[in-house]
Amino acid sequence: MPILGGAAVPSTAAVPSTAAAPRSPTTSSIAASLWPRLTTLPATRPRLRLLNSALVCLADHDMSAGAVAARVAASARGGPYAVIGAGLGALDGPVHGGAATLAQEFLRSALDDPRSAVLATRADGRRVPGTGHRVYQRRDPRAEVLRSAMGQIGGGDRRVLPAIDDIADMVAEQRDFVNSDMLLAGIALRFSMVPHAAETIFAVARISGWAAHAIEEYGEAPLRFRPQGIYVGARS
């Protein structure tokens, strides 16, 4: 049982391979465990493959706000649960993980008339949720992977993919693009998932990435993320 940041983490590394039971992709994966918590629709193999693709695509994204928060906690030698808690605290914001919820709410309102929904949002002076990105400037490759994966399976709400494609075409006219939040929203709405499902998928995916960041950070000198402030206020 290895020790990470002062906390014991169970390990099966020493268990002989003969002791491992056969794994079924429909019963023993993270996607299989998560699916019934998001929707009452059956968890078919294609649907689980799609959800798993989303979990893989969103597992990590360099030094995002959540990753930095997780590393700060790990740098202070917080245990794994503290690391994940720190990451979730950053993810909760509307410009990070919360953006997926905003995209889900927008896409739900746009399913029957995407064009009007986009025009109304622009008329209010707002950017269409689920579009653009702070790092990517022309395209979000994660969104492209998930759009392709969604197109390869049937079932669910047939309005979703056409709506996403219409939104993508409209924002492209202004040199913008749909991002992974929009595709997570699409997965959630296509398969009748609960509110905040898109953000939940995002959060579960990122936990694995934060764990990897923490393991790496535990190997560095502690308190690397301890900047020193410089007072710039009035002096007596």
Side-chain angles (χ1 to χ4, degrees):
M1 182 174 291
I3 303 298
L4 295 181
V9 179
S11 171
T12 59
V15 178
S17 59
T18 55
R23 292 174 60 85
S24 167
T26 58
T27 60
S28 56
S29 67
I30 292 176
S33 297
L34 182 60
W35 184 274
R37 290 164 173 78
L38 300 176
T39 177
T40 58
L41 294 182
T44 64
R45 286 178 181 269
R47 291 172 181 176
L48 291 182
R49 282 198 298 268
L50 175 62
L51 181 55
N52 189 65
S53 295
L55 292 172
V56 171
C57 284
L58 277 299
D60 188 36
H61 201 215
D62 194 41
M63 297 297 284
S64 64
V68 171
R71 277 187 174 267
V72 170
S75 179
R77 294 304 182 259
Y81 291 106
V83 167
I84 302 308
L88 289 173
L91 190 89
D92 181 65
V95 295
H96 195 4
T101 292
L102 296 178
Q104 185 173 342
E105 293 171 350
F106 170 78
L107 184 57
R108 179 183 290 107
S109 72
L111 287 178
D112 292 320
D113 192 351
R115 181 174 182 80
S116 294
V118 170
L119 292 177
T121 301
R122 288 175 175 170
D124 290 340
R126 296 180 291 119
R127 187 173 196 165
V128 175
T131 64
H133 196 270
R134 185 175 181 85
V135 176
Y136 299 125
Q137 300 301 310
R138 295 183 177 86
R139 50 184 281 269
D140 185 340
R142 304 166 302 175
E144 295 173 357
V145 168
L146 295 178
R147 171 60 184 86
S148 176
M150 287 185 70
Q152 295 174 21
I153 66 174
D157 192 331
R158 295 183 178 181
R159 298 174 298 169
V160 171
L161 280 182
I164 291 176
D165 290 342
D166 286 348
I167 293 168
D169 289 342
M170 289 193 69
V171 300
E173 295 172 0
Q174 296 189 343
R175 297 184 179 182
D176 210 347
F177 53 91
V178 296
N179 59 32
S180 59
D181 294 327
M182 182 68 76
L183 273 297
L184 290 179
I187 293 172
L189 293 174
R190 183 174 176 182
F191 298 107
S192 303
M193 293 183 179
V194 297
H196 302 283
E199 185 175 352
T200 299
I201 296 169
F202 189 7
V204 172
R206 278 297 158 90
I207 286 173
S208 62
W210 297 334
H213 277 283
I215 290 171
E216 187 174 77
E217 192 61 40
Y218 288 141
E220 301 290 341
L223 293 178
R224 286 201 303 157
F225 295 87
R226 178 57 176 90
Q228 188 171 8
I230 299 176
Y231 179 72
V232 296
R235 297 179 182 275
S236 57

